[in-house]
Amino acid sequence: MDVSKTTSNHVSYIFSKEVILKSLLKKGIITDDAFSRYDQILYDRYHIDASLGVPRPIIKEISEIPAPATRSQDSPYLSLTSLAKEKDSSSSGYLIQCWLRETRTIEFLRTWELQNNPHFNDTGYHDLMEDLRISPTTFTAKKWVEATGAVGIQSKAGKTGGTYAHPEIFCHFKAWLFPEYQYALIQNYMQSSTSREGALS
């Protein structure tokens, strides 16, 4: 693996653990045991090893470790609806639709699915993009899931309904909503990249 890819993986791992997982743990969304399991999943997913100065996480039980992107209720999916309400409580659904309609958003969602969902229907993605180009219509999370078999976003009905997403997708939406958060992400990346380059020199 080249230095650029290694650095990118290292930054992604540190951010996912220190910002996302620890936030979920602090809020009580996941338990200590779940934190350890997800930490090890991230460690393996981003091909981290001891040579990077990061020891492999130790967990008490390693059986039935959940996949990083599934429809399991154990997955730490976060509410895009609640996040959108923080920006504008009167039009959270509209904000999500606006985000979904952007070409870059759809391309990002496709990239995420190709990396995490072996059953992703890429033909459905291309058909959907063509339909949107020819006849612009309301684009929703439900339509995305039905067309492509996506697992990164979930649309739920009922009392606790709304649009939910995997933490990585949640971060993309949050960065789109809040410029200050996007800036913080860039700062985090630059600081981690500088630290990594210094360690390699």
Side-chain angles (χ1 to χ4, degrees):
M1 187 181 299
D2 60 39
V3 173
S4 177
K5 182 63 175 177
T6 300
T7 300
S8 176
N9 282 354
H10 188 230
V11 170
S12 295
Y13 168 71
I14 295 299
F15 176 80
S16 296
K17 177 180 179 179
E18 297 298 324
V19 178
I20 299 175
L21 286 185
K22 287 190 175 180
S23 175
L24 294 174
L25 181 64
K26 184 177 180 180
K27 293 178 180 178
I29 297 175
I30 60 175
T31 63
D32 288 334
D33 289 341
F35 177 91
S36 297
R37 290 199 305 271
Y38 285 118
D39 187 12
Q40 192 169 82
I41 290 170
L42 290 169
Y43 190 93
D44 292 335
R45 175 181 174 184
Y46 290 115
H47 309 290
I48 307 300
D49 59 52
S51 67
L52 297 174
V54 183
R56 181 178 177 78
I58 299 175
I59 59 177
K60 296 178 180 178
E61 298 180 4
I62 60 174
S63 59
E64 299 182 1
I65 297 177
T70 69
R71 293 179 182 273
S72 168
Q73 293 182 353
D74 293 332
S75 297
Y77 278 50
L78 305 176
S79 175
L80 299 186
T81 302
S82 295
L83 183 61
K85 285 180 179 180
E86 292 181 21
K87 183 73 172 182
D88 187 343
S89 60
S90 64
S91 58
S92 58
Y94 177 73
L95 286 175
I96 294 173
Q97 286 184 20
C98 288
W99 171 69
L100 283 171
R101 279 199 58 82
E102 291 195 2
T103 301
R104 291 300 183 188
T105 295
I106 301 175
E107 291 175 348
F108 171 79
L109 293 177
R110 173 180 180 252
T111 298
W112 190 95
E113 295 291 339
L114 290 173
Q115 293 294 320
N116 297 277
N117 178 10
H119 304 296
F120 179 68
N121 181 1
D122 202 35
T123 299
Y125 157 79
H126 288 290
D127 291 343
L128 183 61
M129 291 295 284
E130 183 64 17
D131 289 343
L132 290 174
R133 186 184 68 81
I134 296 174
S135 178
T137 59
T138 301
F139 186 54
T140 64
K142 183 178 180 181
K143 184 174 292 187
W144 167 250
V145 172
E146 290 176 346
T148 66
V151 298
I153 287 183
Q154 299 176 356
S155 182
K156 299 180 180 181
K159 187 176 180 180
T160 60
T163 303
Y164 291 78
H166 186 278
E168 292 174 342
I169 297 174
F170 179 89
C171 284
H172 186 281
F173 181 53
K174 188 170 183 178
W176 182 83
L177 277 178
F178 300 100
E180 61 274 21
Y181 180 72
Q182 186 177 53
Y183 179 65
L185 286 180
I186 294 172
Q187 281 191 314
N188 179 275
Y189 173 80
M190 295 299 293
Q191 290 170 2
S192 299
S193 179
T194 300
S195 298
R196 175 60 183 158
E197 289 173 0
L200 290 175
S201 61

